[in-house]
Amino acid sequence: MSDNRPFKLSVLDLAPIPDAHTARDAFKRSLALAKFAEQAGFHRYWLAEHHNMPGIASAATSVLIGHLAAHTRTLRLGSGGIMLPNHSPLVIAEQFGTLESLYPGRIDLGIGRAPGSDQTTMHALRRHTSPQMEERFPEDVRQLITWFDASDNEKFDVQPVPGVGLSVPVWLLGSSMYSAQLAAKLGLPFAFASHFAPDVMSQAIALYREAFVPSARLSQPYVMIGVNIIAAESRARARFLFTSQQQQFIHLRRGVPGKLPEPVETMDKIWTPAEKFGVERALSLSLVGDRATITHGLQTLQQQYQVDEIIVNGQIYDNDARIYSYQLAMEAHQALHRLSA
């Protein structure tokens, strides 16, 4: 394969709530970023489901997708992802059937197996859990696809309206070999959560590609990876901006999740050596620097993994700086595509 194999560039938005701001502010920031992403040529824009997280505003993921879709014209929007164990498949089929009906050809359903929350919150979401919940995950995914791919004359005892026959694209998301294997078995596109859990990314991608079974939905493997990109006019400025995400990750690890902190000049007084090691390992798939740094980083990643798409996460306190970071990421992406032309 060519070292410069083209790939698509997309946006992952956790709808971060900065310190001294509200969820309403986060939604305004997300809308500004979505409008920019559409204008700049990003391929898709995904929002992630989290619960009981004071710094993440995208808990009602499908509602926020609808809000952004209503204020954009062509941008693909979707979930990265919906945590299916939290929900009845019927409810998700209805929600995304509704979104697809309102914004045809623009909606993705990315689904994951993790709860996206702690056990107490998971109980609050579904009010009951059992050891069989995770075991039902493949069956629930198949049920969604059966509804979405049904023909006009197929009948079901229970059916999502709207939803049946709407062919909503379904992705499997994950950070493990399990997710890779299931995506391959079902012939679905696979997105790996390498922006916070990169440890088995290489093995998972290899397994997915080797075990892939073509389906009516997908004829060959399609791989997306998550990458943190914090870009600025200088490397020093980018490293400064990155400290917000590093602090937020430490707070999560300490069991005291909070809003996205303001950046700081140095992390030395904030983390212990053990915490520094853990955070740097978890966030090792992060490109932090100026445009040249980001261009080189994307090129190196693509030479190594030959993916179809990279989805970019950027937890940056100031929204103007956040949008500028995505602008530099797109400029780096375009520069690589000129090389491959």
Side-chain angles (χ1 to χ4, degrees), residues 158-228:
V158 176
Q159 62 181 15
V161 180
V164 170
L166 292 184
S167 301
V168 176
V170 174
W171 290 67
L172 275 188
L173 283 53
S175 58
S176 68
M177 306 299 280
Y178 175 93
S179 303
Q181 190 169 26
L182 183 60
K185 183 177 182 180
L186 298 180
L188 296 176
F190 177 52
F192 193 84
S194 37
H195 58 293
F196 71 89
D199 286 354
V200 298
M201 179 176 70
S202 296
Q203 300 95 307
I205 291 173
L207 173 62
Y208 169 70
R209 286 172 170 159
E210 291 167 6
F212 183 82
V213 178
S215 69
R217 286 181 157 250
L218 193 64
S219 61
Q220 58 187 13
Y222 191 101
V223 175
M224 176 197 288
I225 59 173
V227 178
N228 301 298

Side-chain angles (χ1 to χ4, degrees), residues 33-330:
L33 181 58
K35 288 182 174 180
F36 167 78
E38 181 173 68
Q39 177 269 327
F42 282 88
H43 184 61
R44 70 181 90 240
Y45 190 111
W46 279 3
L47 295 140
E49 177 188 354
H50 292 81
H51 299 279
N52 198 27
M53 302 285 281
I56 297 177
S58 52
T61 315
S62 59
V63 177
L64 188 52
I65 290 169
H67 173 63
L68 301 187
H71 290 86
T72 52
R73 296 186 300 109
T74 59
L75 184 66
R76 289 201 68 86
L77 288 139
S79 58
I82 290 292
M83 300 297 106
L84 197 54
N86 294 338
H87 309 281
S88 154
L90 177 64
V91 170
I92 297 305
E94 290 170 342
Q95 290 177 359
F96 280 79
T98 299
L99 288 168
E100 175 63 25
S101 298
L102 289 168
Y103 311 105
R106 295 178 56 198
I107 301 300
D108 298 324
L109 172 56
I111 49 183
R113 187 170 63 112
S117 59
D118 55 81
Q119 288 296 316
T120 302
T121 305
M122 189 175 178
H123 277 277
L125 284 164
R126 290 202 64 166
R127 302 195 180 277
H128 68 277
T129 57
S130 71
Q132 288 74 43
M133 293 286 286
E134 285 193 358
E135 295 175 12
R136 285 187 53 85
F137 181 73
E139 181 182 337
D140 287 347
V141 174
R142 289 188 182 95
Q143 179 64 79
L144 284 169
I145 293 171
T146 297
W147 280 326
F148 289 144
D149 289 353
S151 62
D152 291 340
N153 59 357
E154 286 188 71
K155 302 297 181 184
F156 303 92
D157 292 336
V158 176
Q159 62 181 15
V161 180
V164 170
L166 292 184
S167 301
V168 176
V170 174
W171 290 67
L172 275 188
L173 283 53
S175 58
S176 68
M177 306 299 280
Y178 175 93
S179 303
Q181 190 169 26
L182 183 60
K185 183 177 182 180
L186 298 180
L188 296 176
F190 177 52
F192 193 84
S194 37
H195 58 293
F196 71 89
D199 286 354
V200 298
M201 179 176 70
S202 296
Q203 300 95 307
I205 291 173
L207 173 62
Y208 169 70
R209 286 172 170 159
E210 291 167 6
F212 183 82
V213 178
S215 69
R217 286 181 157 250
L218 193 64
S219 61
Q220 58 187 13
Y222 191 101
V223 175
M224 176 197 288
I225 59 173
V227 178
N228 301 298
I229 293 184
I230 309 294
E233 60 272 16
S234 69
R235 296 180 183 181
R237 171 71 173 165
R239 288 193 294 268
F240 171 71
L241 296 174
F242 189 39
T243 62
S244 292
Q245 187 167 351
Q246 291 171 322
Q247 291 177 79
Q248 190 176 47
F249 217 85
I250 287 173
H251 296 159
L252 182 62
R253 290 280 180 99
R254 290 175 178 172
V256 285
K259 294 183 177 182
L260 185 67
E262 291 191 54
V264 294
E265 292 296 336
T266 178
M267 292 289 295
D268 292 344
K269 295 181 179 180
I270 296 176
W271 56 18
T272 67
E275 287 174 332
K276 179 181 179 181
F277 175 81
V279 170
E280 289 182 343
R281 179 172 177 175
L283 301 181
S284 61
L285 211 65
S286 299
L287 306 179
V288 182
D290 56 14
R291 188 175 68 180
T293 303
I294 305 307
T295 304
H296 176 72
L298 287 173
Q299 184 177 41
T300 301
L301 281 172
Q302 186 62 345
Q303 287 172 348
Q304 185 170 0
Y305 298 109
Q306 297 288 309
V307 298
D308 302 284
E309 193 166 341
I310 291 176
I311 192 163
V312 176
N313 177 47
Q315 299 288 88
I316 297 176
Y317 184 86
D318 179 79
N319 207 44
D320 289 339
R322 183 185 186 211
I323 289 174
Y324 185 55
S325 177
Y326 276 99
Q327 177 184 328
L328 293 178
M330 178 52 73

